[in-house]
Amino acid sequence: MAKAFASQGDMTEKNISFTEVGEGLWAFTAEGDPNSGVIIGDDSVMIVEAQATPRLANKVIEKVREVTDKPITHVVMTHYHAVRVLGCSAFGAQTVIMGEKARAMVAERGQEDWDSEFARFPRLFEGHESIPGLTWPTTTFNDRMTVYLGKRRVDLMHLGRAHTAGDIVAFVPDANTMFTGDIVEYHSACYCGDGHFHDWPKTLDAIRGFDLDAIAPGRGDALVGKDMVNAALDNTEDFVRSTYRPAARVALKGGTLKQAWDAVRAECDPKFSDYAIYEHCLPFNVARAYDEALDIDTPRIWTAARDKEMWEALQG
């Protein structure tokens, strides 16, 4: 196994799609790269997910300007990961919203996450010189808050732990549409390196309870129509369970991380090997599943030293 992340060799720009998922609601997607959402209110615009750099955020702004000239006043970040938040300054929004737990994770591990993701995703961080620093919210909440863009209501909610401990979603009731961040993916691997495997299916069930007409997922195509929504929820749950179960069996029997890696590959490769960022996510997913099976509830912070330690263990 080469001692390099699969994403380090991915330097090809992705094709952008801008899909209407409800009236005045848009999903900015790019073949498995991080998505952003756009919610157009009566007199202003909310962005969901800020991208990795101002360079990439400006691509979102270009698409917004194709459909509205209303000012961007709010940016919502569904969690703390650098590829989701460090482009925030480009939007010039007065209000930047995170869950309180996500803000705490920026304080705890935001710089380490930036350093780690910068090394893992060189293409996404092209133009990184324009990033002014860590992204801090102006507004936080614990379980739920509502933002009114004129008469358009947006409910921001923490439905449970999944991709991280601090995930939130943005629900637009008048369109029965949700922006889920990386809780839900579509034909893209789930990154579980900071995740909570036991809680993730319950959080997906909470999303199912809304009986949604559309979802803008964290990665992959926009999901329009109940059949596509439910297929993505089922597929995400299958990915999470298929990753955790074989790793946990090995860990609980006292096996090695390399043995867990082999067991997860045997389960997941036949189903998911063609998914976007699958090879990149796999080592982090196995390492986190192994830890969680051993009752390590809080994901360990990823650093260059820990990355090296993980690779050495996976090479046996």
Side-chain angles (χ1 to χ4, degrees), residues 269-281:
D269 282 7
K271 294 190 283 187
F272 308 119
S273 61
D274 62 341
Y275 279 23
I277 69 168
Y278 175 75
E279 290 293 340
H280 167 76
C281 290

Side-chain angles (χ1 to χ4, degrees), residues 252-275:
L252 293 170
K253 290 179 180 179
T256 66
L257 188 63
K258 175 62 165 63
Q259 290 170 327
W261 162 270
D262 292 339
V264 173
R265 291 213 79 123
E267 177 76 16
C268 289
D269 282 7
K271 294 190 283 187
F272 308 119
S273 61
D274 62 341
Y275 279 23

